[in-house]
Amino acid sequence: MTPISSRPAGAMRAKPATTLSGTIKAPGDKSISHRAFILGGLANGVTEITGLLESDDVINSGRAAAALGATVMHLGPGRWQVTGTGGRFQTPAEALDFGNAGTGVRLMMGAVAGTGASAEFIGDESLSSRPMRRVTDPLGEMGARFSTTDGRLPAQLDGGPLKAIRYTPPIASAQVKSAVLLAALGASGTTIVHEPQITRDHTETMLRAFGVALDVVRDGAATTVSLTGPQTLTACPVDVPGDPSSSAFAIVAALIVPGSDITLEGVMDNPARTGLIDTLREMGADITLTSGPDMAGEKTTHIRVRHSRLSGITVPAERAPSMIDEYPVLCVAAAFAHGVTHMPGLEELRAKESDRLAGSAALLRANGVPVEEGEDSLAVTGLGIGGVPGGGTTLTHHDHRLAMSGLVIGLGAQTPSSVDDVAMIATSYPDFFTHVETLGGTLEPIA
Ligand code: S3P
């Protein structure tokens, strides 16, 4: 493993941009990068990874895999090699620290439980305030013995044998589904996860690529995944496609800055992740998609975005799982639209790295945009292109997506917008700063 290099931190402002143009390669997908380290750590043999997102969150998953007995080597930019444990994780000497990453800790809880190892799981202030029972409850039903701190981290797992369960997660969550499926690898019997609403299916796709037999049955909006344990993974190469959630920031920036015309190359095109593109197109966005190569079992696309006149719409609540991380920056697009954008079904936003529903509303208010915040909804009154005053400071609450959204709004506003701290951007998109600059935007540290 290599140490995480230093990244920008502290307050920063984005200046109104004249126009954005150019082409950038989308950063590696965070979900797939976490899974590459976790599945590679579980597998028999050597997993070669290319295009890995080298963000703090993902590196913490790699460190955890190493502490659990895998050999994790950095070969070059985005290139990693994981020599797996063949399903035999060792009990680590120290607590596994996942920093800010909900995906890393929740998936690894399932993976470690499935191997019968013991471990302590810890994280930063934000992660330590997030709910873990959604994962420890079903894993507990399988026989895993977790003790948490009031349902939160730190959590201790005392290893032991697991048995299969039938489970219907009460919330639409790929993290919960994935934790149960990863634990099922080491449980005796057939575990069945029934999802009333489809969530991202990267765990299922990648498990198959690692040689695991599992059954997926789709029935309208629902999915049932069955996996019979025990099974051991066989290492396979992972070429990580671009991240649609990180790409969202440049997409929205190009839409709101007059004259813009940008292209993002190699973005993963998976129906469980494309809700934002569908939504922006319904709002009137000029977005053209051209097919790219398949990567890690996923389709990819090159996305061309031109500045557009947007109109407010109602975003269907059932679309939320396919764009759950994109709402803060959708709020920014909505601020520049004509008319009101209604976003119902957002209760899960309150359980993210911060309360993103409140944080997004505060971001808009700080920059002069009218917004109504409901218990599980937002309604943004758009001010049109050129109509957003800006000038506010977004409080990021250790949340990378609020930080990037708070800067993107400034690129299209009348006056610069600030955020209190950009440090957390390194958890998901360390190249954000250079990408904004490449496209012609200006970000300035505030002394
Ligand atoms: C993720 C699932 C989503 C998403 C997160 C990544 C994953 O979380 O918000 O950024 O990789 O499985 P939930 O499962 O909590 O919705």
Side-chain angles (χ1 to χ4, degrees):
M1 295 287 311
T2 49
I4 295 166
S5 54
S6 67
R7 306 266 165 69
M12 196 171 270
R13 78 165 73 84
K15 286 173 59 175
T18 43
T19 184
L20 299 175
S21 62
T23 298
I24 50 176
K25 185 176 179 307
D29 185 68
K30 181 153 77 79
S31 294
I32 294 201
S33 297
H34 277 298
R35 287 161 173 81
F37 273 148
I38 297 170
L39 271 53
L42 283 173
N44 237 327
V46 180
T47 296
E48 305 275 354
I49 309 170
T50 49
L52 184 100
L53 173 73
E54 290 174 350
S55 74
D56 295 357
D57 277 7
V58 172
I59 297 298
N60 282 327
S61 285
R63 289 192 171 149
L68 289 158
T71 303
V72 182
M73 280 170 55
H74 190 209
L75 305 181
R79 291 183 47 232
W80 293 74
Q81 192 182 68
V82 183
T83 306
T85 61
R88 290 178 297 276
F89 277 169
Q90 69 193 21
T91 294
E94 286 172 13
L96 301 174
D97 187 348
F98 289 89
N100 193 245
T103 305
V105 74
R106 292 191 179 122
L107 268 59
M108 203 57 117
M109 281 177 163
V112 177
T115 67
S118 301
E120 189 188 0
F121 300 83
I122 60 172
D124 70 6
E125 189 187 326
S126 150
L127 189 56
S128 303
S129 71
R130 297 178 66 186
M132 292 298 145
R133 285 202 179 107
R134 54 181 59 199
V135 168
T136 57
D137 281 354
L139 296 179
E141 265 183 58
M142 298 175 86
R145 291 166 301 160
F146 276 98
S147 42
T148 64
T149 310
D150 245 351
R152 295 180 157 71
L153 300 183
Q156 172 70 38
L157 167 64
D158 293 318
L162 299 190
K163 60 179 190 325
I165 55 165
R166 275 175 174 270
Y167 193 63
T168 301
I171 39 171
S173 165
Q175 293 178 357
V176 173
K177 168 180 64 179
S178 301
V180 173
L181 291 176
L182 291 171
L185 290 167
S188 53
T190 302
T191 293
I192 299 175
V193 182
H194 176 73
E195 288 194 299
Q197 256 183 301
I198 288 172
T199 64
R200 67 191 72 193
D201 54 0
H202 310 313
T203 302
E204 296 92 302
T205 304
M206 290 179 72
L207 281 175
R208 279 213 178 101
F210 279 77
V212 170
L214 54 83
D215 212 51
V216 179
V217 178
R218 291 246 148 93
D219 178 11
T223 312
T224 304
V225 187
S226 315
L227 192 161
T228 303
Q231 292 194 53
T232 308
L233 285 66
T234 305
C236 79
V238 181
D239 192 8
V240 181
D243 194 323
S245 303
S246 295
S247 300
F249 299 101
I251 292 171
V252 169
L255 289 172
I256 64 173
V257 176
S260 296
D261 183 351
I262 69 156
T263 300
L264 286 134
E265 288 182 336
V267 184
M268 176 165 42
D269 184 12
N270 175 321
R273 300 286 297 276
T274 47
L276 179 76
I277 299 286
D278 299 339
T279 301
L280 291 172
R281 281 179 150 173
E282 284 170 20
M283 293 172 78
D286 181 350
I287 296 178
T288 319
L289 306 178
T290 318
S291 295
D294 287 5
M295 295 169 81
E298 300 283 353
K299 294 190 183 327
T300 68
T301 182
H302 309 307
I303 304 182
R304 181 172 179 190
V305 189
R306 279 171 276 205
H307 167 68
S308 307
R309 185 185 197 279
L310 301 176
S311 304
I313 62 163
T314 295
V315 184
E318 59 276 13
R319 195 179 286 168
S322 69
M323 52 183 294
I324 194 67
D325 293 335
E326 282 76 277
Y327 280 98
V329 79
L330 174 61
C331 285
V332 174
F336 291 84
H338 296 265
V340 180
T341 299
H342 293 277
M343 296 170 243
L346 304 188
E347 57 276 12
E348 266 301 296
L349 287 197
R350 297 206 185 265
K352 293 293 176 189
E353 283 82 331
S354 70
D355 176 347
R356 277 192 188 149
L357 202 150
S360 300
L363 179 164
L364 293 170
R365 273 187 219 108
N367 287 290
V369 182
V371 53
E372 264 176 53
E373 179 187 337
E375 200 43 52
D376 63 354
S377 66
L378 288 167
V380 180
T381 301
L383 300 174
I385 299 299
V388 173
T393 299
T394 296
L395 301 179
T396 55
H397 306 288
H398 305 287
D399 189 319
H400 52 123
R401 298 199 199 276
L402 286 180
M404 290 183 275
S405 302
L407 291 171
V408 168
I409 197 169
L411 297 172
Q414 293 160 3
T415 55
S417 298
S418 310
V419 304
D420 62 345
D421 188 9
V422 297
M424 299 316 278
I425 292 174
T427 64
S428 71
Y429 192 177
D431 287 338
F432 174 77
F433 306 95
T434 46
H435 282 179
V436 170
E437 202 181 312
T438 302
L439 297 175
T442 306
L443 305 176
E444 294 175 339
I446 302 172

